[in-house]
Amino acid sequence: MEASLPRFRRLAVSAQSFRRLALASAVILVLIVASGATVRLTGSGLGCDQWPGCQAGKVYPDTGYHSYVEFSNRVESGFVIFVTLATFLASLRVPGLERWVRWVAGAAFLTSLLQAPLGAVTVHYKLNPYLVGSHFLLSIVALTLGILVALEAWNIRGEPVTRGVRWLAMVSAVSCGALLFSGVAATAAGPHSGGTAVPRIWRLEPAVYVHVRATAIFALTFAALLVWLNIRGSRHIRGALIVLGLLVVQMVIGEIQYRTHLPLGLVIAHVTLSAVVWAATVVFVATLWRPSRMA
């Protein structure tokens, strides 16, 4: 073991290889949100009632549809841990990489790794809705960290803006986070909260009421930011329009799913797109806080 450490220290990872790993990490962190949402919304969370194996004495699933859905999510979670670990280890060997990037890459790996014991605890407590919601929110934290690493790996920056605009963007990010949190509550209160045996933590109507208001707050703060960028002719307007477009699609899907009594496919699309909206918001806000070094 001691002999292998000097060899590891002598290894160097190219910036191009690190960029690819960081991008793969960010992408798979989005995909795991979709996978986890599918498990919950199909009521498959107890499809494998043991951990790390699926059933008692059996590693692989053999009890039907729900066990395959849950086990597939576990396999993908394993890939997430592997890719985030590879990204973290690579960050240690990229010449000239800033120290904070290594710390964030390590935090992304650690957050992804923590999903495994949290999943075991969630299964043990028969899909306690607070634990299930924590699973989703921890995925969002890992996704945020992965995106920040990818942005630095690809040196994605933007033109400088005033401090007031940066803080307005931060307020928009916080309101987007509140939108995600209220969405978790609405899902936990709805018919796809994880199965008929999973207790609801709220009634659907008030949960949706809060979620709609959270959407309005995010839309208003983001609209103010969009207007300012348009008036100043900022290049950041392109990123803002991408976030706005995704938000509009998300709102349309949300309205349709509510009026059509929450069909499963639309709910999965809605939850998955929420992660995409968050990812786009993080990228957009980060570029406002990361001016080009040439500026």
Side-chain angles (χ1 to χ4, degrees):
M1 180 67 181
E2 292 180 359
S4 64
L5 289 176
R7 293 195 193 100
F8 174 73
R9 293 191 183 100
R10 288 196 298 268
L11 294 175
V13 176
S14 67
Q16 183 178 15
S17 296
F18 182 60
R19 284 196 298 268
R20 291 172 178 171
L21 276 172
L23 179 60
S25 180
V27 170
I28 200 170
L29 285 168
V30 172
L31 295 178
I32 194 62
V33 174
S35 177
T38 302
V39 170
R40 181 179 192 178
L41 297 171
T42 58
S44 302
L46 294 178
C48 291
D49 56 5
Q50 300 293 319
W51 194 93
C54 192
Q55 281 89 34
K58 298 180 180 179
V59 175
Y60 302 105
D62 63 356
T63 57
Y65 165 75
H66 291 301
S67 65
Y68 288 110
V69 172
E70 165 62 12
F71 192 76
S72 296
N73 178 251
R74 293 186 184 186
V75 171
E76 186 174 347
S77 297
F79 279 110
V80 171
I81 293 172
F82 173 78
V83 174
T84 54
L85 174 60
T87 304
F88 168 56
L89 294 177
S91 73
L92 300 177
R93 305 312 310 151
V94 178
L97 190 67
E98 295 189 39
R99 180 177 297 181
W100 72 264
V101 184
R102 299 186 174 104
W103 279 101
V104 174
F109 161 65
L110 181 61
T111 307
S112 301
L113 184 63
L114 287 175
Q115 290 282 38
L118 178 57
V121 172
T122 303
V123 170
H124 177 76
Y125 284 100
K126 306 303 180 183
L127 304 184
N128 178 286
Y130 294 101
L131 291 174
V132 175
S134 299
H135 229 329
F136 175 82
L137 294 175
L138 192 59
S139 295
I140 293 299
V141 172
L143 173 59
T144 304
L145 297 171
I147 289 173
L148 293 177
V149 172
L151 288 174
E152 182 65 21
W154 288 85
N155 193 30
I156 297 176
R157 298 175 179 273
E159 65 179 9
V161 295
T162 64
R163 179 178 298 179
V165 172
R166 292 201 301 270
W167 281 108
L168 179 58
M170 189 62 70
V171 171
S172 295
V174 171
S175 63
C176 186
L179 175 61
L180 282 175
F181 191 85
S182 65
V184 170
T187 301
H192 303 300
S193 61
T196 55
V198 178
R200 307 297 193 268
I201 62 175
W202 206 2
R203 290 188 298 112
L204 180 60
E205 289 74 16
V208 171
Y209 179 88
V210 172
H211 186 55
V212 170
R213 269 62 190 174
T215 303
I217 292 173
F218 175 53
L220 288 173
T221 57
F222 197 81
L225 184 59
L226 187 65
V227 169
W228 188 96
L229 293 173
N230 185 56
I231 292 174
R232 294 300 182 94
S234 173
R235 295 177 182 176
H236 289 288
I237 193 70
R238 297 175 183 174
L241 289 175
I242 292 174
V243 176
L244 179 62
L246 290 171
L247 179 62
V248 170
V249 174
Q250 173 81 334
M251 292 170 65
V252 170
I253 292 177
E255 183 67 18
I256 293 174
Q257 72 169 6
Y258 185 74
R259 294 184 179 277
T260 55
H261 307 291
L262 305 176
L264 179 61
L266 282 180
V267 179
I268 292 176
H270 189 68
V271 175
T272 302
L273 192 56
S274 69
V276 177
V277 170
W278 173 253
T281 301
V282 171
V283 171
F284 172 68
V285 174
T287 56
L288 290 172
W289 281 84
R290 290 165 48 83
S292 172
R293 292 191 176 101
M294 298 300 293

